Amino acid sequence: MDDLGVRVAQVLEDVVPGGAWQAPFVGPEAAFRNKAKLVVAGSREEPTFGILDADRRGVALPECGLYEPSLAAALDRLVPAVTDLGLVPFDVPGRQGELKHLIVTGSPDGETMVRFVLRSPGQLGRIRRGLERLHAAEPGLRVVSVNIQPEHKAVLEGEEEIVLTEADTLPMRLGDITFHLRPRSFFQTNTVVAGALYRQARDWVEEVGPTSVLDLYCGVGGFALNAAMAKGVAPRRVEGVEVAPDAVASARRSAAELGVPADFRVGDARALTALGHDLVIVNPPRRGIGSDLCAAIESAAPAHLVYSSCRASSLARDLAALPGYRVTRARLFDMFPQTEHVEVMVLAERVTGR
C-alpha cells in the first residue's frame, strides 16, 4: 500500500489484521467526478459559475480537471445556455438575488441531470420557458429540476424539489445494474470506483453464500441489488432500509426492472433492533453506525457483516464495539483521489461461541 493506505491501516490496526488487507483499488487521478456543484455569483449579464473567494464573491472555474470528459463537455454547452436564461445570481454578502447553485450530474451513457438551486420560486417561469433552449444546447439533457433553498446559511439545497421534465430520474448504469438517480438521491461521485466497490461486495456475498441479506443505509440500492444479483445460494431474500424516500423509490424501480427478490423500505437504520438475516451490510455516513446499531447487530448475530466506510476512525470505533466479529477481508478504495479521504470496506465473520 502507498503512504495513505499505510496510514489507514494504522488507524484500523487494532480491529483489522494485517493479513486481511487486499490490494487497494485505485481509479484515475483526474477526470473521475460525475457531478459538478457550481456556486453561481456575479451579475445577470455576467454570472460566474465556480466557487466563492474569501470575500464571498464569485470566482469562475471555466475548466476543472476533476470532471469526467463527458460531464466537462456538457458543462461547456450548458453554462452559456443557463446564462442566456437571464437568471439573477444570488449575492451572498448582499443577500439578494435568486440562483444560488447549478448542480450537474453526468451518467456513464452521456446523459445529464441539471438542478437549479433558487432562493425562491420567483425565477421558476424563466427556467420552464428555457427548457427547449437547454435541450438544444445539451442533447443528452434528461432531467431538469429546481430546488428551493430560502435560508441564508451554508446548506447546499432545501427540502422542496420541482421536476420540470417528463423524466424524473437519471439512469446510472454500472455493470449489469441500472440505478435510477432522482434529483435528491445520493450517489457516489466517482463512477469507476463505485463500480469496483459494488463488484467487491458482490464477490464477498458470493463467497459466503447467505440466504438473506439486509442492507442498511442502502441509498438507491447499490449493495442490496448487487447482493441480489450475486451467484450462489437461492432463494436469497434481500432487504434494504434507507431514510430518504426518493432513494427507496429508485431502488424499488431498479429491483423491478431486474426482476430480483429485493425489497426496500423507508426507515432509520439507527432505530432498528430486529435484524433477522444471515448477512448485514452497512454503508453509513461519516459518523458511523453508533453504539445502538452495533448492539443490535451483536444481539442478532448474523453470520457475516460487510461494512463500507468513508471514515476510518469511525469504522475503527464501530468494529471495536462489535467484539463478536472478526475481520477476514479488508480493501481500500480511492474514491476521492488527490485527498486524504478514502472508502474502506471490510468483511467480518461471527466468531464461533460469541
Side-chain angles (χ1 to χ4, degrees):
M1 288 190 283
D2 61 14
D3 291 344
L4 178 58
V6 170
R7 291 196 295 274
V8 171
Q10 288 173 342
V11 173
L12 296 166
E13 61 184 354
D14 291 337
V15 289
V16 178
W21 287 102
Q22 300 178 198
F25 184 90
V26 179
E29 285 292 309
F32 62 84
R33 189 175 173 86
N34 60 33
K35 178 182 284 189
K37 300 178 181 179
L38 303 173
V39 178
V40 185
S43 65
R44 184 200 298 263
E45 295 75 19
E46 296 184 355
T48 61
F49 297 83
I51 60 174
L52 297 180
D53 63 17
D55 295 323
R56 315 301 288 170
R57 300 296 182 184
V59 177
L61 294 179
E63 296 181 3
C64 178
L66 297 182
Y67 301 143
E68 293 176 345
S70 60
L71 175 60
L75 287 170
D76 286 343
R77 296 186 290 266
L78 281 167
V79 166
V82 171
T83 300
D84 289 343
L85 296 181
L87 303 171
V88 180
F90 184 71
D91 175 60
V92 174
R95 301 192 181 190
Q96 296 180 341
E98 287 295 328
L99 180 58
K100 293 184 171 184
H101 298 92
L102 185 71
I103 305 173
V104 183
T105 304
S107 80
D109 294 316
E111 294 184 305
T112 55
M113 174 165 61
V114 176
R115 300 175 66 204
F116 294 82
V117 180
L118 301 178
R119 185 179 65 163
S120 75
Q123 301 284 291
L124 188 57
R126 282 183 176 270
I127 299 174
R128 287 188 188 276
R129 293 190 295 273
L131 286 177
E132 185 175 344
R133 180 179 298 175
L134 293 174
H135 280 287
E138 172 47 35
L141 182 59
R142 179 178 175 87
V143 181
V144 178
S145 70
V146 170
N147 180 274
I148 307 301
Q149 208 301 72
E151 299 183 76
H152 185 72
K153 60 181 182 180
V155 175
L156 182 65
E157 60 190 57
E159 294 297 322
E160 183 180 3
E161 193 86 25
I162 305 165
V163 178
L164 303 181
T165 47
E166 181 178 354
D168 62 355
T169 69
L170 179 68
M172 300 290 287
R173 180 179 50 82
L174 271 67
D176 54 0
I177 299 176
T178 296
F179 302 98
H180 291 278
L181 184 62
R182 283 177 164 76
R184 298 190 66 212
S185 297
F186 169 80
F187 197 79
Q188 297 285 4
T189 58
N190 191 323
T191 308
V192 171
V193 179
L197 184 76
Y198 295 146
R199 286 195 302 273
Q200 182 64 78
R202 187 190 292 201
D203 288 347
W204 286 348
V205 170
E206 292 177 352
E207 178 183 332
V208 302
T211 57
S212 62
V213 175
L214 176 62
D215 181 8
L216 302 179
Y217 308 93
C218 70
V220 296
F223 289 109
L225 292 169
N226 272 279
M229 293 288 286
K231 301 175 183 177
V233 179
R236 177 177 292 111
R237 177 170 58 97
V238 178
E239 294 182 289
V241 177
E242 167 61 44
V243 72
D246 281 358
V248 170
S250 296
R252 288 171 176 168
R253 178 173 174 178
S254 295
E257 289 179 351
L258 292 167
V260 295
D263 297 318
F264 297 91
R265 68 181 188 272
V266 178
D268 186 350
R270 296 172 297 176
L272 296 181
T273 56
L275 310 174
H277 297 74
D278 297 336
L279 182 146
V280 172
I281 302 173
V282 294
N283 181 31
R286 289 173 58 81
R287 64 174 179 266
I289 64 176
S291 58
D292 289 346
L293 186 50
C294 284
I297 293 172
E298 278 287 314
S299 176
H304 292 91
L305 171 70
V306 172
Y307 191 138
S308 184
S309 171
C310 59
R311 190 178 190 182
S313 58
S314 59
L315 173 61
R317 181 205 62 213
D318 288 340
L319 289 176
L322 292 163
Y325 289 86
R326 177 176 66 90
V327 174
T328 59
R329 303 278 194 280
R331 195 173 189 188
L332 182 151
F333 295 83
D334 193 7
M335 190 73 73
F336 316 100
Q338 304 183 43
T339 77
E340 294 294 306
H341 302 288
V342 297
E343 191 83 11
V344 179
M345 189 164 64
V346 302
L347 170 67
E349 65 179 10
R350 187 71 181 176
V351 178
T352 304
R354 297 300 295 261

